[in-house]
Amino acid sequence: MVKAGTKHYKSNLEQVGNADTAEAIYQACRLYNSGSLDKNNLSNVLGATNSYVSDIANRLQGRTN
């Protein structure tokens, strides 16, 4: 599962330009979670978990809810 998830996320990252930036990483996270992306609003759920991207960002900064 970890290998499959990593491969899937890598593909998502490549879709958004494969940059090592917060913008690209969070866009790839949204794609990973929902399969679609609203670049103007990463909290637009498009049928998925609305707080997914902000949850990831908080965890990366050491914050938990």
Side-chain angles (χ1 to χ4, degrees):
M1 286 176 51
V2 171
K3 284 182 182 182
T6 302
K7 186 175 181 178
H8 181 81
Y9 176 76
K10 182 178 185 228
S11 173
N12 295 144
L13 191 57
E14 289 169 350
Q15 276 184 268
V16 298
N18 206 27
D20 187 16
T21 64
E23 180 180 18
I25 291 166
Y26 296 144
Q27 287 178 2
C29 286
R30 172 49 66 205
L31 278 170
Y32 182 88
N33 181 249
S34 68
S36 47
L37 174 66
D38 177 351
K39 288 187 177 187
N40 296 314
N41 181 3
L42 294 180
S43 293
N44 185 349
V45 297
L46 303 168
T49 308
N50 65 344
S51 63
Y52 186 79
V53 174
S54 62
D55 290 348
I56 295 289
N58 285 329
R59 288 184 187 124
L60 289 172
Q61 295 177 9
R63 296 183 285 208
T64 59
N65 297 356

